[in-house]
Amino acid sequence: MTARAEDLPARLGTSQNAVSNLEIGERRLDVLELRPLCAALGISVEAFVARLEHVLAKDPWRSTSPQGPYGRAPPGSTILTPMETAMHTPRITRRTFLASSAAVAASTTAHPIIAAPSRRAPSLSRSGTLTGRVIWPQGPDYDEARLTFNTRYSRFPAAVVVCDTTEDVQNAVRWARQQNIPFRARSGGHSYEAFSVVDDGLVIDVSGLDATVVDTARGEAVVGAGVRLLDLYRHLWNFGVTLPAGTCPGVGIAGLTLGGGIGFLSRRYGLTCDNLLAVDLVDANGDTLRASVDEHGDLFWALRGGGGGNFGIVTTFTFQVHPIAEVALATVTWPWDDVAEVLDAWQRWAPFVDNRLTASLGIANPGAGVISSTALFTGAPDELPTLLAPLLAAGTPSAPQIQSLPFMAAAEQLAGAGGGHANFKNTSALAYEPLSPQAISTLVDGLRAAPTASNLVGLFPLGGAIATIDPAATAFPHRRALFDLQYQAYWWDASEEQTDVAWVDDLRAAMAPYTTGAYVNYIDADLPNWETAYYGPNLDRLMQVKSAFDPDDVFNGPQTIPGHGS
Ligand SMILES: Cc1cc2nc3c(=O)[nH]c(=O)nc-3n(C[C@H](O)[C@H](O)[C@H](O)COP(=O)(O)OP(=O)(O)OC[C@H]3O[C@@H](n4cnc5c(N)ncnc54)[C@H](O)[C@@H]3O)c2cc1C
């Protein structure tokens, strides 16, 4: 619960005057007073410190020291009071404080709300209308709402608006443009680089658009842009159908689809975006627009692999769906020393085997002791031993563990292997040819040099239905790649960050001569020449679509597609 202003004296057991003196910076705070003050304000001390760091990092003159950090505040600078820091606000008047406290109280009870005056930056909210569930920095849900899946990042948006309707999204785009602040769309929040959360801007969260409507007669599903993968699989399963998509339960359908969408059913049914029939979105003017083969065909082309956050904010996707029932899951492991032989056998088999079979390969560092392959097969389990034979001929594999189970149970098992929040750095590359012995030994050397047991390389086969589509037919360019590689590092102790990130950077560079491009959904802020890496020969057409549908580059952020002339 966030405190109302008038409750603070009672909560602190002090007078109104004492609170006022703190508010206006008249009195400074003893460190021992910080804890009860934070408690009274409904914010943890940790969150207070994080916000303070954020504010000071952006403007070191806004110090709690009247002289500024370097002894003298520059003319016109403001001094940050502890109360302001707790609320993540600039200096305020008592009137705006009370008004915003009322707004916070309203936001916890009324839904949807019309945006009340923002305490953080009162000028922001005076024009335009922000609707939906609006979460301001002083609100009780703010610290959860600003969380990013990759906990390596900690960002402080000016506000988060959770949209329940298309109108909420329209209002949010218009409002952010009126305020001239940056904004980002967020669906599942799983961007590797946390690109869906922006400092000092508006996060337009579509998680309230979470309906899925299945039309079994047409074999179609209309899916809200805020639906997450495991929920989607469960909903579709009730109708005996599914969609080829990713494995992680919390990944959002929007980010996944817009970048392509690779999963265990993609060799059979294509990328997630290959199953798209239509997309409804809110454009740069806040207007709604439908894209399909028949309407705005160029935009529809770009939305199938061009990556999230580039052309508009999607509100619904219409997909074709596929009947699904029982499947088989198989797992095999090998001793780590078999790595080169197994990798070579896998790459000559997994992209070419029967489309109904998809087998990933996971290679942790030698400390893990084993390497493993997980396979999903949509045919009869008794066909599997023959299909797996070329892979099992390599090295000294364990006896394959094969289970026959309902697809939904398989999806849950695969999702369970996806892991939880962590600090991480991942990047990707694509192999268009089998890796040469030299390339394999470079990869193996990289794995041997991994700094911790949680570094690994994941390989996932393409081919099958993905490769039957021309690379220029949608924006996803890597149709002819045999498999993708992900160089992955995870850490929980901040002291490991530098070595882990360096390991990923070094492996990416060492493997560059043997690989091509990268997958935009495994977005990497440090990737050299990211435009051509993600989009290859499709970049030019993507830039044309960008110029046509977002000429003012309203949807911009790190690694968004530039228009022609920008
Ligand atoms: C644990 C994990 C497992 C993964 N597994 C797979 C996998 O199996 N297969 C695969 O292909 N990928 C996988 N990915 C990558 C995943 O596809 C991308 O990270 C994807 O961008 C996440 O989408 P999101 O909606 O969850 O993320 P968000 O962070 O919400 O969004 C990602 C990008 O899309 C934009 N965006 C979000 N919503 C919208 C919208 N409504 N309209 C327009 N733009 C929008 C955001 O601004 C951002 O730029 C995985 C990622 C993680 C973290």
Side-chain angles (χ1 to χ4, degrees):
M1 274 288 293
T2 299
R4 292 185 309 145
E6 54 268 37
D7 295 341
L8 273 181
R11 284 180 175 226
L12 289 166
T14 186
S15 68
Q16 181 61 59
N17 262 356
V19 171
S20 301
N21 286 342
L22 276 179
E23 279 173 36
I24 60 175
E26 193 74 32
R27 186 170 86 75
R28 296 171 66 203
L29 198 66
D30 186 280
V31 71
L32 291 178
E33 295 173 287
L34 183 60
R35 196 159 168 266
L37 177 65
C38 287
L41 287 167
I43 179 175
S44 70
V45 175
E46 291 76 16
F48 171 90
V49 172
R51 290 182 193 189
L52 178 66
E53 287 293 343
H54 172 69
V55 175
L56 293 183
K58 291 173 70 69
D59 181 0
W61 288 108
R62 307 188 86 244
S63 160
T64 48
S65 156
Q67 279 75 44
Y70 308 114
R72 187 171 58 85
S77 67
T78 53
I79 307 301
L80 195 69
T81 74
M83 294 272 283
E84 287 169 353
T85 304
M87 298 300 202
H88 189 209
T89 62
R91 182 179 287 278
I92 51 158
T93 65
R94 179 163 175 72
R95 198 142 44 90
T96 54
F97 176 82
L98 291 172
S100 66
S101 297
V104 173
S107 74
T108 59
T109 51
H111 163 69
I113 65 160
I114 303 297
S118 159
R119 183 170 179 282
R120 180 179 178 279
S123 62
L124 278 186
S125 56
R126 294 244 161 87
S127 60
T129 307
L130 196 54
T131 59
R133 282 170 279 162
V134 186
I135 300 165
W136 302 101
Q138 64 270 42
D141 301 328
Y142 179 74
D143 280 316
E144 198 180 331
R146 69 177 186 83
L147 269 186
T148 54
F149 180 79
N150 186 347
T151 48
R152 182 181 175 204
Y153 299 104
S154 176
R155 303 221 164 102
F156 293 87
V160 175
V161 57
V162 181
C163 301
D164 296 314
T165 64
T166 298
E167 291 71 32
D168 291 341
V169 179
Q170 294 181 275
N171 288 335
V173 169
R174 290 181 179 137
W175 186 85
R177 290 197 66 181
Q178 278 168 357
Q179 308 306 325
N180 201 20
I181 58 170
F183 64 91
R184 300 278 187 280
R186 180 172 69 186
S187 170
H190 275 54
S191 165
Y192 279 6
E193 301 284 4
F195 284 166
S196 48
V197 180
V198 59
D199 276 329
D200 300 317
L202 180 66
V203 174
I204 303 177
D205 183 309
V206 297
S207 62
L209 301 170
D210 58 357
T212 298
V213 179
V214 182
D215 182 336
T216 40
R218 295 170 72 97
E220 294 176 13
V222 179
V223 181
V227 174
R228 292 174 185 246
L229 294 188
L230 197 60
D231 292 337
L232 179 61
Y233 291 141
R234 286 193 175 123
H235 194 91
L236 296 178
W237 176 250
N238 292 332
F239 297 86
V241 294
T242 198
L243 179 71
T247 43
C248 180
V251 164
I253 192 66
L256 179 99
T257 306
L258 295 170
I262 300 171
F264 276 91
L265 293 176
S266 293
R267 302 192 65 257
R268 175 140 194 212
Y269 296 121
L271 301 172
T272 314
C273 72
D274 297 339
N275 292 271
L276 259 183
L277 300 172
V279 177
D280 294 292
L281 59 73
V282 171
D283 71 10
N285 296 319
D287 295 329
T288 57
L289 190 151
R290 170 162 271 233
S292 68
V293 168
D294 303 320
E295 294 166 88
H296 303 298
D298 264 2
L299 178 61
F300 188 57
W301 174 88
L303 293 169
R304 289 174 290 161
N310 281 302
F311 303 102
I313 302 188
V314 177
T315 52
T316 59
F317 297 94
T318 304
F319 291 106
Q320 64 173 327
V321 290
H322 305 271
I324 194 91
E326 289 278 305
V327 297
L329 269 188
T331 50
V332 190
T333 60
W334 293 261
W336 203 89
D337 288 342
D338 285 348
V339 60
E341 189 184 345
V342 171
L343 203 166
D344 194 40
W346 177 87
Q347 67 173 347
R348 293 175 193 285
W349 166 82
F352 308 102
V353 71
D354 189 313
N355 288 359
R356 297 170 300 161
L357 179 59
T358 297
S360 65
L361 187 66
I363 313 176
N365 75 6
V370 291
I371 56 178
S372 64
S373 177
T374 301
L376 184 137
F377 182 53
T378 52
D382 57 7
E383 291 180 61
L384 259 181
T386 311
L387 289 168
L388 289 172
L391 181 65
L392 298 178
T396 48
S398 64
Q401 304 286 309
I402 299 178
Q403 329 163 46
S404 177
L405 69 180
F407 170 75
M408 194 56 232
E412 276 164 358
Q413 272 195 37
L414 293 169
H421 289 249
N423 303 309
F424 65 88
K425 175 73 193 180
N426 291 359
T427 193
S428 69
L430 290 120
Y432 276 66
E433 302 286 336
L435 297 177
S436 63
Q438 197 184 357
I440 291 177
S441 81
T442 302
L443 192 66
V444 171
D445 288 349
L447 282 156
R448 287 192 202 282
T452 70
S454 45
N455 300 57
L456 66 133
V457 175
L459 299 98
F460 204 88
L462 276 66
I466 302 167
T468 61
I469 295 175
D470 189 276
T474 72
F476 181 86
H478 299 301
R479 302 279 177 185
R480 301 290 178 259
L482 300 181
F483 55 95
D484 71 54
L485 303 97
Q486 274 202 80
Y487 317 128
Q488 304 172 258
Y490 300 85
W491 64 92
W492 287 265
D493 183 339
S495 66
E496 293 172 11
E497 172 168 346
Q498 217 179 339
T499 23
D500 270 321
V501 173
W503 178 78
V504 171
D505 286 346
D506 291 348
L507 191 53
R508 185 207 298 107
M511 290 300 291
Y514 314 110
T515 57
T516 305
Y519 175 33
V520 66
N521 270 355
Y522 300 151
I523 208 152
D524 173 2
D526 308 314
L527 186 68
N529 305 317
W530 57 268
E531 298 99 322
T532 42
Y534 296 147
Y535 305 119
N538 290 339
L539 176 64
D540 190 58
R541 186 170 172 195
L542 278 165
M543 290 170 70
Q544 285 171 27
V545 178
K546 178 74 175 177
S547 300
F549 285 91
D550 183 17
D552 299 327
D553 198 19
V554 168
F555 295 101
N556 69 70
Q559 297 193 346
T560 49
I561 294 166
H564 275 297
S566 53

